[in-house]
Amino acid sequence: MSLENYKCSEQYLPVTTKIKLFIISICLTVGTFWLLSSWFNTLHSAYKLLPTVKLSIGGTLGGIIGLGILIYSWSIFFTILKTGKATKYSWSKRKIKVQNSIMTFFFIAGFIVSALTYFIVNDQLLSDGYSVKTKYTNMGIYKTYTKNEN
């Protein structure tokens, strides 16, 4: 078989590839919702003015961007289940453009939401008399706000 025929053939994906994609999608889902739960816990703690509030800038960013990746990943998985073919053979140019627009939206929204969360939570807690301890690591910026007992 020549290379041209191989490139143009619409081969069906084996079951092992479908299972691998399913496992990857499940792992992405768990990771994204773990990051989002961290963000929700931060918002809840800041709203209730609990004695200690932990804020992770990267958690918010990763969670929001992760939503776009989840939509893309599950869309690929269900397309492969439905057609049995790789998405490069079954998705139209319009579908690819829509998926890329969704990814771009969540990428931009992630930065906006992260910035808003940081500024709103930071201003609210500092104005309510919290002290802040900042930790810089390779993975991100972590802030721990502690209520000052006067």
Side-chain angles (χ1 to χ4, degrees):
M1 179 193 300
S2 69
L3 185 59
E4 289 80 25
N5 291 338
Y6 177 75
K7 284 183 179 179
C8 296
S9 66
E10 295 184 12
Q11 295 181 342
Y12 287 92
L13 296 173
V15 174
T16 55
T17 303
K18 293 175 188 178
I19 292 171
K20 287 177 188 176
L21 182 59
F22 178 71
I23 291 171
I24 290 170
S25 297
I26 291 292
C27 291
L28 284 172
T29 302
V30 169
T32 298
F33 284 113
W34 177 70
L35 290 171
L36 287 175
S37 72
S38 169
W39 177 53
F40 289 135
N41 286 338
T42 299
L43 294 178
H44 174 70
S45 298
Y47 177 73
K48 295 286 186 178
L49 295 176
L50 296 179
T52 303
V53 178
K54 295 183 178 186
L55 173 65
S56 168
I57 306 301
T60 306
L61 181 64
I64 303 296
I65 291 174
L67 288 174
I69 295 170
L70 281 182
I71 292 170
Y72 197 82
S73 172
W74 283 107
S75 181
I76 289 171
F77 177 72
F78 288 122
T79 300
I80 289 173
L81 277 184
K82 183 179 174 185
T83 64
K85 300 175 186 175
T87 53
K88 76 177 197 177
Y89 298 118
S90 57
W91 278 4
S92 65
K93 288 185 180 187
R94 184 182 178 283
K95 173 76 173 176
I96 293 169
K97 189 182 252 187
V98 168
Q99 289 294 335
N100 289 340
S101 298
I102 291 171
M103 287 286 290
T104 304
F105 169 77
F106 279 103
F107 184 77
I108 293 168
F111 281 100
I112 292 170
V113 170
S114 294
L116 288 175
T117 300
Y118 172 76
F119 289 120
I120 291 171
V121 167
N122 192 48
D123 289 345
Q124 175 67 34
L125 294 177
L126 290 179
S127 67
D128 284 333
Y130 281 75
S131 62
V132 63
K133 188 181 283 185
T134 305
K135 180 179 178 183
Y136 299 97
T137 66
N138 292 341
M139 297 301 290
I141 302 169
Y142 301 95
K143 290 194 169 220
T144 304
Y145 298 89
T146 309
K147 183 86 167 158
N148 291 330
E149 300 296 327
N150 295 335

